[in-house]
Amino acid sequence: MTQYILALDQGTTSSRAILFDHHGRICASAAQEFPQHYPQPGWVEHDPNEIWNSQLTVARKVLHELHVDSAHVRAIGIANQRETTVVWDRKSGEPIAPAIVWQDRRTADYCAQLRADGKAKLVADVTGLELDAYFSATKLKWLLDHVPGARERARHGALAFGTIDSWLVYKLTGRHVTDVSNAARTMLFNIHLMRWDQDMLDLFDIPEEMLPQVVSSSEEVGSTRDGLFGGAIPVAGIAGDQQAATFGQACHQPGMVKNTYGTGCFMLMHAGRHPVVSHNRLLSTVGWRVDGRTDYLLEGSVFMGGATVQWLRDGLGIIQHSSEVEALAASVPDSGGVYMVPAFVGLGAPHWDPYARGTIVGLTRGSHKGHIARAALEAIAFQSAELLAAMQKDAAIPLTELRADGGAARNDLLMQFQADLLGVPVVRPQVTETTALGAAYLAGLAVGFWDTQEEITAQWQCERRFLPQMGADQRATLLAQWARAVERSRSWETPA
């Protein structure tokens, strides 16, 4: 009987389920978008039940597609959008408010006040993170402060907090857990001692009673409830989406780097068995914990990657489908001097400017939608190039190649421009759904579906290498112009 690992890849705009076989091949896949809610400028919310229902729907769909039942599935692995914050009632299991999404900026002013009070170094020393509204702690504090009675209920243990992995595991199994990679993104977790940190809980006034139990990224944490899949399936792998993608890209050795081109762009370098302190405003974070061993990563985060293309579709209406952007961008030989800085929700690393806003500069009467589409794609690559420059300063390890994945990694024009900007090959793997693959690998290792990480590494295969073709002078000119464009987007909003 053929057996599979079911990966649940819960992303910012869609939920995906993929069945992988023992060779790491995709055997069935299904995805479903769910609504995005923008109640105020800078606010982004999800309905946790819409996330759960969409994830359950696609999981059942892939099982039906292959005509398999729960007996064919050895384990479930979960990869999830990180930092998005859910609070639910332990008795009813219902959320007490919409989930606050990682992109949400409503707590930017509060973070600015904490920085002014000198708290940024404490946060960075303990958690490895920037003091920013991106992370879960200030979102959770906001919910406790603004939902009537929430803080008191939390202190009495009536409420549960979790990132999306916790919410899905709870709905699947009834357990309240999170793995180390997701815990490390809350701004409440000590990445050196590998436990919830009392100083952080005190700083953000978070009751410890509402926190999930922290588990490894690869271990059985429970089995699915009756009625979900016809039989119990172990949930055995959990990782934040970018850590999962790094694992799925087989970046298991120090110095290896991958970039995921999803809603945002996330570049991660394997840093070894100890955290690397960043001096260039990158994040030091937990990668995964497997067999009692913790691996650390150095990370740079871009908030608007593929979401920039979605804006061209939904905001400007210059394309009907995201897949059309490459042809439109290729209709012109270059951007015609147009630069787009997609700081719609502020700028992430290495700038960390929540008050930046999106700009398009360099427009002339000759500019048209082809130039704007090209500038949008190039902006994704420019932002990623900034991350790599900062990363190489921190790690002092010369890059030999960049492994690329995510939906936009299928865009050849973008991948070639990225290689040109970096001056090193960009390598696209056979399986670009590496987030789901990483979750599957972590789950499979826990149940013996795969025996070792070396076995997993041997399965990784290159589909295409994009070699740099741009001269150094042209590269330097483009990067200098990009820097000028970024400066024009900085500090556009005035702090409240």
Side-chain angles (χ1 to χ4, degrees):
M1 180 176 67
T2 303
Q3 293 195 313
Y4 307 93
I5 299 293
L6 173 60
L8 306 182
D9 180 5
Q10 203 300 298
T12 307
T13 58
S14 66
S15 296
R16 186 179 305 274
I18 300 179
L19 280 173
F20 290 96
D21 66 12
H22 186 71
H23 301 286
R25 294 178 300 210
I26 295 174
C27 299
S29 176
Q32 180 176 311
E33 291 193 5
F34 57 88
Q36 310 291 299
H37 304 282
Y38 308 101
Q40 294 185 35
W43 290 30
V44 189
E45 295 180 346
H46 290 159
D47 181 334
N49 283 320
E50 289 175 342
I51 288 176
W52 163 242
N53 290 330
S54 63
Q55 191 66 77
L56 180 61
T57 297
V58 292
R60 287 171 167 168
K61 187 174 181 179
V62 293
L63 295 178
H64 179 75
E65 181 180 330
L66 279 193
H67 305 289
V68 300
D69 58 25
S70 58
H72 294 81
V73 181
R74 286 285 299 278
I76 292 173
I78 296 171
N80 57 282
Q81 56 164 311
R82 303 174 301 173
E83 298 95 19
T84 296
T85 301
V86 186
V87 177
W88 64 93
D89 184 281
R90 290 188 187 274
K91 184 175 291 186
S92 70
E94 285 299 308
I96 66 167
I100 302 181
V101 180
W102 59 273
Q103 296 166 315
D104 189 282
R105 309 306 295 169
R106 74 185 67 180
T107 60
D109 290 340
Y110 173 60
C111 291
Q113 182 59 55
L114 288 176
R115 284 193 296 273
D117 292 342
K119 302 299 184 182
K121 186 177 186 304
L122 171 65
V123 170
D125 288 347
V126 171
T127 70
L129 306 177
E130 284 279 327
L131 180 44
D132 190 82
Y134 176 29
F135 305 104
S136 309
T138 62
K139 304 178 194 299
L140 177 54
K141 175 178 169 55
W142 190 95
L143 287 170
L144 293 177
D145 288 343
H146 289 82
V147 177
R151 186 172 296 283
E152 189 65 22
R153 293 166 66 195
R155 288 198 178 102
H156 287 91
L159 300 182
F161 151 72
T163 42
I164 295 299
D165 60 307
S166 294
W167 173 241
L168 292 180
V169 172
Y170 171 76
K171 298 296 285 184
L172 286 165
T173 72
R175 291 203 62 198
H176 184 209
V177 304
T178 189
D179 93 297
V180 292
S181 72
N182 280 291
R185 310 298 296 192
T186 62
M187 217 154 62
L188 299 171
F189 190 72
N190 190 313
I191 65 169
H192 309 279
L193 302 178
M194 299 297 287
R195 67 189 185 203
W196 300 119
D197 188 85
Q198 193 60 53
D199 287 341
M200 294 298 101
L201 297 178
D202 292 343
L203 177 63
F204 297 108
D205 195 15
I206 305 298
E208 190 171 4
E209 292 81 0
M210 67 187 311
L211 301 180
Q213 176 189 351
V214 181
V215 298
S216 293
S217 309
S218 180
E219 69 170 272
E220 291 191 44
V221 298
S223 294
T224 55
R225 302 175 192 243
D226 293 341
L228 292 180
F229 301 110
I233 304 172
V235 176
I238 307 170
D241 52 9
Q242 301 314 315
Q243 289 95 328
T246 308
F247 198 84
Q249 280 275 39
C251 293
H252 300 157
Q253 300 299 321
M256 298 183 73
V257 183
K258 73 89 197 174
N259 196 24
T260 294
Y261 298 82
T263 301
C265 289
F266 301 89
M267 185 177 291
L268 289 89
M269 173 184 283
H270 194 295
R273 300 290 158 75
H274 304 282
V276 171
V277 176
S278 175
H279 300 287
N280 293 279
R281 306 198 73 183
L282 299 180
L283 309 177
S284 185
T285 197
V286 176
W288 47 80
R289 188 170 181 82
V290 178
D291 291 333
R293 188 184 68 228
T294 303
D295 290 64
Y296 291 88
L297 304 172
L298 196 61
E299 175 176 339
S301 308
V302 167
F303 297 154
M304 294 291 292
T308 307
V309 177
Q310 292 174 337
W311 180 74
L312 297 182
R313 180 192 69 189
D314 303 334
L316 287 189
I318 63 174
I319 53 175
Q320 294 297 311
H321 304 284
S322 295
S323 58
E324 297 169 5
V325 70
E326 184 172 7
L328 181 57
S331 69
V332 293
D334 54 48
S335 70
V338 176
Y339 288 79
M340 177 188 291
V341 183
F344 298 98
V345 292
L347 288 171
H351 306 288
W352 296 106
D353 183 352
Y355 304 110
R357 287 297 177 265
T359 61
I360 302 176
V361 297
L363 293 170
T364 67
R365 284 293 301 271
S367 303
H368 56 74
K369 62 183 181 180
H371 295 108
I372 292 174
R374 183 117 185 178
L377 284 185
E378 291 184 355
I380 299 172
F382 277 123
Q383 292 176 100
S384 297
E386 287 185 308
L387 296 182
L388 186 64
M391 196 167 280
Q392 294 200 269
K393 290 177 184 176
D394 276 335
I397 303 174
L399 184 72
T400 58
E401 67 177 26
L402 176 70
R403 294 188 173 185
D405 57 68
R410 291 188 286 270
N411 187 309
D412 290 352
L413 189 153
L414 172 59
M415 293 297 97
Q416 183 58 56
F417 189 70
Q418 188 72 85
D420 289 341
L421 280 185
L422 298 181
V424 297
V426 172
V427 184
R428 186 168 62 199
Q430 288 280 2
V431 178
T432 55
E433 296 289 352
T434 53
T435 300
L437 182 59
Y441 280 150
L442 289 166
L445 284 171
V447 297
F449 193 72
W450 292 286
D451 293 325
T452 64
Q453 289 189 38
E454 289 73 22
E455 182 182 0
I456 289 169
T457 299
Q459 291 187 353
W460 187 92
Q461 291 183 310
C462 170
E463 182 264 327
R464 180 170 174 183
R465 293 176 67 86
F466 295 86
L467 303 177
Q469 300 172 356
M470 184 181 291
D473 290 345
Q474 184 183 0
R475 181 183 306 124
T477 298
L478 289 174
L479 289 170
Q481 286 290 88
W482 166 256
R484 292 180 65 206
V486 169
E487 282 307 308
R488 282 156 174 77
S489 77
R490 297 290 302 272
S491 304
W492 184 261
E493 283 287 309
T494 302

